Amino acid sequence: MARRRTLRPEEQELWQAVARTAHAMHAEKRVPVPVTPPEPPMSSSPKADPVSLGPFTMGARTSTRPHDIAPTLREQIAAHPLKMDAKQFARMSRGRLAPEARIDLHGMTLAEAHPELMHFVLEAYRQGMRLVLVITGKGKVRDEGGPIPTRMGVLRHQVPQWLRLPPLGPVVQQVAEAHLKHGGMGAYYVYLRRR
């Protein structure tokens, strides 16, 4: 490692001459340094008792509230605005209107059920039908305990979404959960618009 060389006397003179003629480009802003009072010396007296934190338990805390804060499927469907006659809706909800046609999607996969539902609803609309019944089944509990919970009744959750999206959305006026005599929560009334 090379030693650092010192300035010779003529180099020192030259440097000082340059330093005397140099001026600062910007005025220095001096920020006062806050003075902190010195901390009191530590005493050797015993400390007060620590605050009691209560009993310690291992594991997760249990809550009285359920963890699933998403609205139920029934609440989601009921939250949609009423687009049909209120008296007709009341009669339909009580099971007093007979569906003109029905399709049973129970046991189908999503890939099989979607084209079947589209064909059925569009054909019923083409024929001038107003009320059809779509049976999805209530579904099975298939949660394998993975990080993402699986919903009970995949078709039951998916069918209302399909009925709101094109090409079915423009022809569907109202979707409601069926009355018990037509399948209850395992089926939907689909009220179609007039042609």
Side-chain angles (χ1 to χ4, degrees):
M1 187 178 218
R3 272 187 33 192
R4 202 167 188 190
R5 142 176 123 74
T6 58
L7 294 177
R8 287 180 269 171
E10 62 270 6
E11 291 173 330
Q12 187 78 26
E13 274 181 46
L14 180 61
W15 176 252
Q16 287 179 0
V18 171
R20 281 191 296 270
T21 60
H23 299 287
M25 289 180 65
H26 304 287
E28 280 190 40
K29 293 182 182 177
R30 299 205 179 248
V31 179
V33 177
V35 178
T36 57
E39 292 185 17
M42 298 285 286
S43 66
S44 60
S45 64
K47 292 188 175 191
D49 290 336
V51 179
S52 174
L53 298 176
F56 178 77
T57 57
M58 293 285 290
R61 285 186 277 165
T62 57
S63 172
T64 55
R65 284 182 45 213
H67 295 291
D68 188 9
I69 57 175
T72 63
L73 190 57
R74 180 176 282 162
E75 292 168 345
Q76 289 175 16
I77 292 173
H80 289 288
L82 187 61
K83 297 177 184 173
M84 61 184 284
D85 180 54
K87 287 183 182 178
Q88 279 291 88
F89 181 77
R91 289 183 66 214
M92 180 181 75
S93 299
R94 292 183 185 124
R96 295 197 181 130
L97 288 181
E100 299 170 64
R102 68 182 64 219
I103 185 171
D104 190 353
L105 303 175
H106 186 240
M108 292 186 188
T109 64
L110 291 174
E112 296 167 340
H114 193 206
E116 289 291 325
L117 178 69
M118 286 194 319
H119 176 72
F120 170 75
V121 171
L122 293 174
E123 184 62 25
Y125 176 72
R126 191 185 66 72
Q127 292 177 11
M129 295 181 190
R130 295 303 306 275
L131 180 64
V132 295
L133 183 70
V134 177
I135 302 167
T136 61
K138 295 178 185 175
K140 296 178 183 173
V141 179
R142 283 189 244 188
D143 194 1
E144 284 98 28
I148 301 173
T150 323
R151 288 188 164 173
M152 183 175 127
V154 178
L155 270 178
R156 208 174 118 231
H157 284 83
Q158 193 63 46
V159 164
Q161 292 177 17
W162 288 338
L163 292 170
R164 281 193 303 273
L165 297 173
L168 302 179
V171 301
V172 173
Q173 188 168 355
Q174 193 77 43
V175 177
E177 193 174 279
H179 187 267
L180 281 174
K181 74 179 186 180
H182 291 130
M185 59 188 278
Y188 293 106
Y189 291 130
V190 180
Y191 198 76
L192 302 174
R193 297 183 189 280
R194 288 192 195 279
R195 286 193 71 205

